[in-house]
C-alpha cells in the first residue's frame, strides 16, 4: 500500500505511453493491412452500385432483424444494453472527457456522475448476465474459446475497477485509480490483437458485405 | 550555559507556571481529544495523563527545507493550542528558533541527547542528501545532514518527520533530484518514524501527534505511509464541502465562470483532493478560518509522495502525465507503415505466383489421370 502513489503515477506516466503506442501501432497495422489488401478482383459485371448498399448494410446489420431477435432475444437486448452502457461510461464521464481533452485536445459535454454511475452498474450486471449465458447455453458454451473469456474478463475488469474507484471502495484511492487505469491500458494493448478489434472493423466488414450484395444486385 | 537537562516539572506544573487555569487546562484537553477524534469520555484521562506527564526533550533538526513547516507551527495566531502544546515539550534544539548558535547550539544538542538518552523525540523537517550523495550538499556546523540525523536518532525514542520533504522527499527529491534527497523513513529503519506530511503540514496535526504521545506514552495509529490515522485517515475529497457538487456533476471550468462563483467542484481545474489524504478539509488553516479549496483553489496534493512529479497542478487527476496526440499519431503512422508493408508483400507474392503460373489444359490433366 505504501507505494500506491508511485503505482498511480506509473500508470499515468510511462505505462500510459506504452499502452497507447502498442494500441496505435497494432490497430493501424491491422486496419491498413485490411484496407490495402482489399478484396480479390471481381471480374463479373456489376449489376448495381456498391456504395449505398454498403452503407445501408452498416445500418441494417447494426439493428437486428426480427428473425434474429426472435431466435436470440437475450443476445440482442443484453448485447445492446451493455454496449450502450459501456460507451456512455467511456465517453460521457467527465474525468474521461478530461483525459481525452488532455491527450487529443477535443472535448464534448458530459453527463452528471450519478447518471454515468447508473449506466455503469447496469453494464456490470449485463456483463455478468452475458457470462452466465455463455457458460450455460449449450451451443455458446461449445463455440466459446479462451480468447472469448479473456476478452470478457478484461472488459469486465475495466468497468468493475472504474466502479470501485468512483465509489472509493478500495483504499487507498490512488491504488484503486491506478488499478482502473492499468486495466484500461491492458484493454488498449489487447484491442488490436483480439476480437476487441471489432470496435473498429465491425463497420468496415458490414460495408464490405453490403457492397458485395449491392454489386450482385441483391437486397442489402 | 544552563544544562538543557530534561526538566523535572510536570506538564501540569509547567502550564500553571505559564498562567493556565484549571478550566483552561481542561479546555485544552477537550480540544486535544476532539482533534484526535477521541470520545469526550477520554477527556478526564487525557487531563490526568497530561497533568502528570513529564515534558519530553525534543530535538528539532532542519535539513533541506524552506522553514515553511516551522513557520506553519509558530505563526499561528496566539494564544493557540499550538502555543500551549509547544509548552508541553522542552524544545532543546531548533537551530532556527534557538538563541544559541555555532558550537553552543551543537553542545545543547549533545547535552540534551546525553541527558535524555532513549527518551527524547527527534523532529525532522527537510529531506536529507542520502549516504551516496555528496555530503557537502547540505551541512550544519560542518557536518552532513546524514551524519547529524543518524547520530541524533541513535538514542531517540521516536522520530517525527514533519512536512512532505522529511516524510517523502518533497521538493528536493522532485525530478531530477540533484542532491540525491531522501526521506527520513528511507534512512531511519530501527526507530519508530511518524510522518506528518503536508507542504506545510496543518499545525494542529503536529501538535496533535505530540499531545497523543504525551497522553498515551505511545505513538498514534499510523496509515500505510506512517501518517497518524486520526488526521490522514480520510481523503480531502471525502471530507470536502464541495463534494455534493462533484456527485451532482457540477464543475467550475475556469477560475471565474459561474461554477467558480457558485462554489462548484474544482476537479476540472486540477483538484488533487481525490488522491490526497490530509486534515485540511476538517481542521482548516489559520485557526480554522478557511482552507485552499474553500478559497477557490484546487488541492495540490501536497501531503502525498511525489506530488511535485504528479503532473500539472491544473490538470485533472485523470489526465495522463506525458501522453499526447503526437505519441498517438507517431505510433499510428509506424503501425500504418507496418500494415502497408505486410499487405504489399502479400500482394506482391500473389502477383508473382500469378506471373509464374503454368497453365494446364484439360487434355494434360486427363492424361495424368
Ligand atoms: S473540490 Fe476537489 S476535493 Fe472537493 S469535491 Fe471537488 S475534486 Fe473533491
Ligand atoms: S488542500 Fe491539498 S494542497 Fe492544500 S494544504 Fe491541503 S492537502 Fe495540501
Amino acid at each position: 500500500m505504501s507505494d500506491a502513489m508511485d503505482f498511480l503515477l506509473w500508470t499515468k506516466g510511462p505505462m500510459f505511453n506504452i499502452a497507447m503506442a502498442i494500441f496505435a501501432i497494432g490497430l493501424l497495422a491491422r486496419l491498413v493491412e485490411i484496407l490495402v489488401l482489399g478484396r480479390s478482383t471481381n471480374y463479373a459485371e456489376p449489376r448495381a452500385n456498391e456504395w449505398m448498399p454498403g452503407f445501408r448494410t452498416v445500418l441494417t446489420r447494426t439493428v437486428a432483424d426480427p428473425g434474429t431477435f426472435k431466435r436470440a432475444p437475450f443476445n440482442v437486448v443484453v448485447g445492446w444494453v451493455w454496449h450502450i452502457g459501456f460507451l456512455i461510461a467511456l465517453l460521457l464521464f467527465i474525468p474521461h472527457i478530461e483525459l481525452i481533452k488532455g491527450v487529443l485536445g477535443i472535448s464534448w459535454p458530459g453527463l452528471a456522475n450519478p447518471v454515468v454511475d447508473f449506466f455503469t452498474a447496469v453494464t456490470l450486471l449485463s456483463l455478468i448476465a452475458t457470462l452466465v449465458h455463455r457458460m450455460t447455453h449449450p451451443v455458446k458454451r461449445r463455440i466459446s474459446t479462451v480468447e472469448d473469456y479473456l476478452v470478457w474478463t478484461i472488459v469486465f475488469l475495466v468497468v468493475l475497477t472504474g466502479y470501485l474507484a468512483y465509489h472509493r471502495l478500495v483504499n487507498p484511492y490512488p491504488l484503486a485509480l491506478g488499478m482502473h487505469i492499468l486495466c484500461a491500458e491492458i484493454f488498449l494493448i489487447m484491442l488490436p490483437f483480439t476480437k476487441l478489434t471489432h470496435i473498429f472493423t465491425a463497420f468496415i466488414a458490414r460495408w464490405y458485405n453490403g457492397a458485395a450484395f449491392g454489386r450482385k444486385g441483391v437486397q442489402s | 550555559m544552563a544544562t538543557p537537562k530534561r526538566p523535572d516539572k510536570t506538564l501540569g506544573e509547567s502550564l500553571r507556571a505559564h498562567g493556565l487555569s484549571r478550566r483552561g487546562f481542561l479546555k485544552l484537553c477537550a480540544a486535544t481529544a476532539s482533534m484526535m477524534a477521541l470520545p469526550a469520555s477520554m477527556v478526564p484521562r487525557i487531563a490526568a495523563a497530561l497533568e502528570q506527564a513529564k515534558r519530553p526533550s525534543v530535538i528539532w533538526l532542519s535539513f533541506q527545507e524552506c522553514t515553511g513547516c516551522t513557520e506553519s507551527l509558530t505563526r499561528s495566531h496566539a494564544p493557540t493550542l499550538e502555543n500551549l502544546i509547544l509548552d508541553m515539550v522542552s524544545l532543546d534544539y531548533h537551530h532556527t528558533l534557538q538563541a544559541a548558535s555555532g558550537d553552543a547550539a551543537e553542545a545543547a544538542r549533545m547535552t540534551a541527547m546525553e541527558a535524555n538518552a532513549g527518551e527524547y523525540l527527534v523532529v525532522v523537517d527537510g529531506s536529507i542528501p542520502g549516504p551516496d550523495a555528496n555530503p557537502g550538499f547540505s551541512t550544519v556546523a560542518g557536518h552532513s545532514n546524514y551524519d547529524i540525523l543518524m547520530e541524533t536518532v541513535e538514542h531517540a525514542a521516536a522520530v517525527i518527520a514533519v512536512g512532505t520533504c522529511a516524510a517523502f522527499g518533497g521538493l528536493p527529491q522532485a525530478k531530477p533530484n540533484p542532491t540525491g534527497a531522501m526521506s527520513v523513513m528511507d534512512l531511519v529503519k530501527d526507530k519508530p518514524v511518524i510522518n506528518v506530511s503536508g507542504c506545510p503540514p496543518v499545525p494542529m496535526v503536529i501538535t496533535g501527534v505530540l499531545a497523543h504521545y504525551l497522553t498515551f506514552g505511545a505513538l498514534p495509529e499510523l496509515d500505510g505511509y506512517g501518517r497518524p490515522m486520526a488526521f490522514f485517515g480520510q481523503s480531502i475529497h471525502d471530507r470536502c464541502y464541495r463534494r455534493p457538487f462533484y456527485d451532482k456533476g457540477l464543475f467550475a471550468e475556469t477560475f471565474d465562470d459561474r461554477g467558480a462563483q457558485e462554489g462548484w467542484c474544482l476537479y476540472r481545474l486540477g483538484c488533487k483532493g481525490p488522491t490526497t489524504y490530509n486534515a485540511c478539509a476538517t481542521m482548516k488553516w489559520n485557526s480554522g478560518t478557511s482552507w485552499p479549496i474553500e478559497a477557490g483553489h484546487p488541492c495540490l496534493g501536497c501531503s502525498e509522495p511525489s506530488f511535485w512529479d504528479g503532473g500539472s497542478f491544473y490538470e485533472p487527476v485523470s489526465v495522463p502525465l506525458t501522453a499526447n496526440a503526437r505519441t498517438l499519431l507517431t505510433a499510428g503512422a509506424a503501425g500504418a507503415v507496418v500494415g502497408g508493408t505486410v499487405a504489399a508483400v502479400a500482394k506482391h507474392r500473389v502477383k508473382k505466383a500469378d506471373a509464374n503460373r503454368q497453365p494446364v489444359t484439360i487434355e494434360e490433366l486427363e492424361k495424368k489421370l
Side-chain angles (χ1 to χ4, degrees):
Chain A
M1 133 149 196
S2 63
D3 288 327
M5 184 53 85
D6 286 341
F7 171 61
L8 173 62
L9 293 184
W10 174 74
T11 60
K12 280 174 67 174
M15 189 56 204
F16 200 93
N17 288 329
I18 294 172
M20 228 168 67
I22 297 180
F23 161 74
I25 293 176
L27 183 69
L28 260 292
R30 291 203 63 179
L31 287 185
V32 169
E33 188 191 3
I34 291 170
L35 296 175
V36 170
L37 283 178
R39 291 162 297 162
S40 52
T41 332
N42 189 339
Y43 294 105
E45 198 179 318
R47 295 220 176 135
N49 187 287
E50 295 187 325
W51 283 96
M52 274 327 286
F55 287 125
R56 201 173 320 124
T57 305
V58 169
L59 244 143
T60 52
R61 290 270 162 115
T62 304
V63 187
D65 66 291
T68 310
F69 183 77
K70 242 180 157 173
R71 254 176 288 124
F74 178 90
N75 289 2
V76 174
V77 173
V78 180
W80 265 91
V81 166
W82 89 255
H83 273 90
I84 289 180
F86 187 87
L87 284 176
I88 286 178
L90 175 70
L91 298 177
L92 298 179
F93 184 45
I94 303 251
H96 294 166
I97 294 179
E98 287 294 339
L99 188 162
I100 294 167
K101 191 165 112 192
V103 175
L104 301 178
I106 47 172
S107 72
W108 49 80
L111 284 177
N113 294 350
V115 180
V116 177
D117 182 37
F118 168 78
F119 280 104
T120 310
V122 170
T123 305
L124 274 178
L125 293 177
S126 321
L127 278 171
I128 294 173
T130 60
L131 181 69
V132 172
H133 192 245
R134 184 184 282 283
M135 291 170 69
T136 49
H137 190 283
V139 177
K140 268 197 183 175
R141 208 180 58 214
R142 280 188 180 75
I143 60 171
S144 293
T145 60
V146 175
E147 186 189 329
D148 291 322
Y149 289 108
L150 212 69
V151 165
W152 182 90
T153 308
I154 193 61
V155 173
F156 186 74
L157 281 180
V158 170
V159 186
L160 180 71
T161 51
Y163 189 81
L164 292 177
Y166 174 71
H167 287 279
R168 302 178 77 85
L169 295 172
V170 176
N171 268 320
Y173 178 75
L175 179 67
L177 184 58
M179 271 168 27
H180 175 58
I181 298 179
L182 184 63
C183 285
E185 286 162 352
I186 297 174
F187 179 93
L188 273 183
I189 292 175
M190 280 171 63
L191 196 152
F193 310 106
T194 55
K195 290 182 177 177
L196 288 171
T197 322
H198 81 273
I199 298 170
F200 295 91
T201 51
F203 296 102
I204 303 179
R206 276 172 206 165
W207 184 86
Y208 272 142
N209 248 329
F213 295 151
R215 200 187 154 92
K216 289 181 189 154
V218 296
Q219 195 189 357
S220 56
Chain B
M1 198 190 95
T3 317
K5 227 178 87 70
R6 183 175 166 158
D8 290 318
K9 263 196 231 165
T10 66
L11 181 60
E13 286 160 0
S14 162
L15 288 175
R16 267 191 296 282
H18 279 78
L20 187 73
S21 66
R22 175 80 193 154
R23 209 186 129 108
F25 178 65
L26 284 177
K27 247 172 106 177
L28 162 69
C29 296
T32 308
S34 80
M35 184 168 75
M36 292 184 298
L38 297 172
S41 58
M42 290 292 280
V43 173
R45 197 176 147 200
I46 293 174
L50 287 183
E51 179 76 39
Q52 292 308 319
K54 291 270 188 298
R55 296 163 68 217
S57 167
V58 169
I59 297 176
W60 186 304
L61 302 174
S62 298
F63 296 135
Q64 300 193 110
E65 46 84 43
C66 67
T67 315
C69 297
T70 300
E71 292 275 342
S72 162
L73 186 63
T74 55
R75 291 284 170 113
S76 21
H77 295 268
T80 60
L81 198 56
E82 288 80 43
N83 294 35
L84 291 173
I85 295 181
L86 267 184
D87 286 335
M88 290 178 175
V89 302
S90 165
L91 193 53
D92 291 334
Y93 177 88
H94 186 310
H95 67 222
T96 316
L97 298 180
Q98 72 194 138
S101 62
D103 288 344
E106 292 311 302
R109 177 169 65 90
M110 300 310 279
T111 320
M113 282 163 58
E114 263 167 45
N116 308 300
E119 291 173 6
Y120 60 89
L121 292 175
V122 176
V123 176
V124 180
D125 64 339
S127 65
I128 305 102
D132 302 331
N134 182 337
F137 282 148
S138 178
T139 62
V140 177
H143 298 286
S144 74
N145 287 174
Y146 177 74
D147 288 345
I148 296 178
L149 175 70
M150 292 328 241
E151 178 186 73
T152 312
V153 300
E154 197 183 342
H155 298 292
V159 188
I160 304 176
V162 162
T164 300
C165 296
F168 305 130
L171 178 65
Q173 201 187 55
K175 283 184 192 119
N177 188 2
T179 61
M182 294 175 85
S183 68
V184 173
M185 68 175 171
D186 287 338
L187 299 169
V188 177
K189 302 284 181 198
D190 55 351
K191 297 279 168 188
V193 176
I194 309 150
N195 287 326
V196 180
S197 61
C199 188
V202 181
M204 278 167 89
V205 178
I206 308 178
T207 51
V209 170
L210 290 173
H212 188 283
Y213 182 73
L214 287 179
T215 310
F216 300 104
L219 299 172
E221 189 196 347
L222 304 177
D223 74 0
Y225 285 126
R227 300 179 295 199
M229 276 296 226
F231 305 107
F232 294 90
Q234 278 172 309
S235 69
I236 297 282
H237 186 66
D238 283 334
R239 303 306 298 265
C240 179
Y241 77 104
R242 296 193 188 220
R243 179 66 181 272
F245 295 112
Y246 174 89
D247 290 337
K248 271 189 226 140
L250 295 173
F251 300 95
E253 293 187 37
T254 65
F255 282 102
D256 56 1
D257 65 0
R258 175 164 164 246
Q261 284 160 16
E262 304 267 339
W264 292 352
C265 170
L266 303 170
Y267 183 93
R268 301 187 94 159
L269 289 171
C271 185
K272 304 292 182 290
T275 52
T276 306
Y277 292 76
N278 202 350
C280 308
T282 41
M283 306 202 136
K284 302 195 182 180
W285 285 85
N286 297 327
S287 311
T289 309
S290 180
W291 62 296
I293 289 179
E294 193 173 333
H297 195 280
C299 169
L300 308 179
C302 78
S303 56
E304 295 302 312
S306 311
F307 89 100
W308 289 100
D309 293 326
S312 162
F313 290 152
Y314 299 100
E315 289 283 8
V317 172
S318 62
V319 174
L321 302 183
T322 49
N324 53 34
R326 272 232 343 237
T327 327
L328 201 62
L329 285 179
T330 318
V337 171
V338 173
T341 316
V342 170
V345 168
K347 270 193 151 171
H348 180 72
R349 224 184 304 129
V350 172
K351 247 199 193 145
K352 223 165 94 186
D354 261 357
N356 297 337
R357 184 179 299 144
Q358 304 294 324
V360 219
T361 61
I362 296 184
E363 289 76 41
E364 279 169 348
L365 274 178
E366 274 177 346
K367 239 183 257 163
K368 273 192 189 161
L369 281 177

